[in-house]
Amino acid sequence: AQKVTQAQTEISVVEKEDVTLDCVYETRDTTYYLFWYKQPPSGELVFLIRRNSFDEQNEISGRYSWNFQKSTSSFNFTITASQVVDSAVYFCALNVDQKLVFGQGTRLTINP
Amino acid sequence: EPEVTQTPSHQVTQMGQEVILRCVPISNHLYFYWYRQILGQKVEFLVSFYNNEISEKSEIFDDQFSVERPDGSNFTLKIRSTKLEDSAMYFCASSEEAGGWGFSYEQYFGPGTRLTVT
């Protein structure tokens, strides 16, 4: 099966805390891509990152960082020094042929 | 920065009515997609479209659904006879290429159309 599991349904932290969102995937492909999208309360899907299976280097973009571990089929997302504006639903996704397969999403609430 | 646009932002319709959701993909993109998100649930693939034909469709995309590229800019999703369970947010997306063979292009999503069937 090709699927994405985001076991954390909801996470709530206080502003300035670090928070990690977990993503575990299953795929039969040897080459694949993983994505993270943010869905703020307004509803649109905002692209955050695309990572291919050949590149296991961690990526950092400002307060955001991603940890890709092929050995454990995980692609976790960490927000450092969280802010209220980070409150959103975050989706991890896997490309399968021509489509994206999404996880169930993690609702992140950052409290002031 | 180019973006995918969708109209209307919210559509309310009665059960059994036909609806057409419209999308304008990014102009140099060749592949187009529709996804659906039932409230509080994950985003699900409906259909992909290239060169004026469907490339792939999901089990959700039954005979009630159809897609069309009526001109050089619009991409539409038609639901022939809406059901209550069609109520959802519908996202259009586009990409430069489709990917496949282990490669993937980023899909750019529109803001979505919220469809409410009463």
Side-chain angles (χ1 to χ4, degrees):
Chain A
Q2 316 238 61
K3 64 187 258 188
V4 175
T5 302
Q6 294 179 255
Q8 303 151 308
T9 307
E10 293 191 34
I11 298 175
S12 181
V13 300
V14 176
E15 199 171 20
K16 295 182 186 171
E17 284 186 20
D18 298 348
V19 58
T20 295
L21 310 181
D22 297 333
C23 172
V24 174
Y25 61 92
E26 293 176 37
T27 180
R28 59 175 176 261
D29 295 335
T30 54
T31 304
Y32 50 88
Y33 281 74
L34 295 158
F35 301 77
W36 276 93
Y37 284 86
K38 174 182 180 180
Q39 187 175 43
S42 48
E44 72 271 24
L45 287 168
V46 179
F47 167 80
L48 295 178
I49 190 171
R50 178 183 71 176
R51 173 52 54 93
N52 74 55
S53 55
F54 290 128
D55 185 359
E56 289 197 65
Q57 283 193 1
N58 290 335
E59 177 138 352
I60 298 174
S61 176
R63 296 183 297 106
Y64 295 171
S65 63
W66 290 269
N67 183 293
F68 178 35
Q69 297 274 351
K70 209 167 175 178
S71 60
T72 56
S73 297
S74 65
F75 186 43
N76 297 336
F77 173 33
T78 297
I79 301 175
T80 303
S82 59
Q83 300 175 0
V84 173
V85 293
D86 295 326
S87 296
V89 180
Y90 289 85
F91 290 96
C92 182
L94 168 72
N95 80 295
V96 177
D97 297 323
Q98 297 172 20
K99 61 183 180 289
L100 293 178
V101 173
F102 285 82
Q104 293 283 1
T106 297
R107 180 176 299 278
L108 177 64
T109 302
I110 311 297
N111 299 298
Chain B
E1 185 175 325
E3 57 183 20
V4 177
T5 59
Q6 289 184 245
T7 54
S9 57
H10 190 191
Q11 172 97 43
V12 181
T13 190
Q14 288 191 329
M15 196 166 53
Q17 295 295 305
E18 175 184 287
V19 294
I20 297 176
L21 310 183
R22 301 180 194 278
C23 167
V24 178
I26 294 173
S27 61
N28 64 333
H29 285 187
L30 301 177
Y31 286 81
F32 315 118
Y33 311 83
W34 285 101
Y35 290 81
R36 180 183 82 174
Q37 184 183 30
I38 294 172
L39 186 64
Q41 297 187 22
K42 66 179 178 182
V43 180
E44 300 173 290
F45 169 79
L46 290 178
V47 65
S48 59
F49 190 86
Y50 170 70
N51 200 25
N52 282 319
E53 59 182 33
I54 290 173
S55 298
E56 187 176 351
K57 60 183 181 180
S58 72
E59 297 166 352
I60 303 168
F61 195 88
D62 60 23
D63 292 342
Q64 296 282 24
F65 292 89
S66 62
V67 289
E68 193 178 35
R69 183 120 159 108
D71 53 42
S73 59
N74 289 285
F75 178 51
T76 62
L77 174 69
K78 182 193 291 187
I79 308 175
R80 258 179 275 284
S81 177
T82 50
K83 303 188 277 268
L84 293 176
E85 53 264 39
D86 293 328
S87 294
M89 179 77 94
Y90 288 82
F91 290 102
C92 174
S94 70
S95 64
E96 291 178 59
E97 296 284 347
W101 302 105
F103 190 76
S104 179
Y105 287 84
E106 179 189 335
Q107 292 184 21
Y108 292 80
F109 283 81
T113 292
R114 181 166 299 285
L115 176 65
T116 302
V117 182
T118 62

